[in-house]
């Protein structure tokens, strides 16, 4: 009844994990600040 059930799900998990790690690896670590601060913060 459950022939290769766990193996199939584990293979699908590994494929999703590999795709996630490939995508994460290509993301930029630098995120520019979009909020510009005034020179005089007392304003």
């Amino acid at each position: 009844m459950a022939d290769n059930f766990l193996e199939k799900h584990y293979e699908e998990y590994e494929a999703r994990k590999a795709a996630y790690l490939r995508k994460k690896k290509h993301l930029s670590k630098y995120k520019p600040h979009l909020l510009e601060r005034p020179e005089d913060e007392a304003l």
Side-chain angles (χ1 to χ4, degrees), residues 37-43:
R37 294 181 182 251
E39 291 180 16
D40 183 13
E41 292 191 13
L43 295 177

Side-chain angles (χ1 to χ4, degrees), residues 4-31:
N4 299 325
F5 177 80
L6 293 177
E7 290 85 359
K8 180 181 177 186
H9 282 275
Y10 186 72
E11 289 172 3
E12 292 172 358
Y13 160 76
E14 288 291 325
R16 287 193 313 268
K17 180 179 173 184
Y20 165 77
L21 291 175
R22 277 194 307 271
K23 183 179 178 183
K24 180 180 175 185
K25 188 171 148 181
H26 293 293
L27 293 178
S28 174
K29 292 181 181 178
Y30 173 72
K31 293 185 180 180

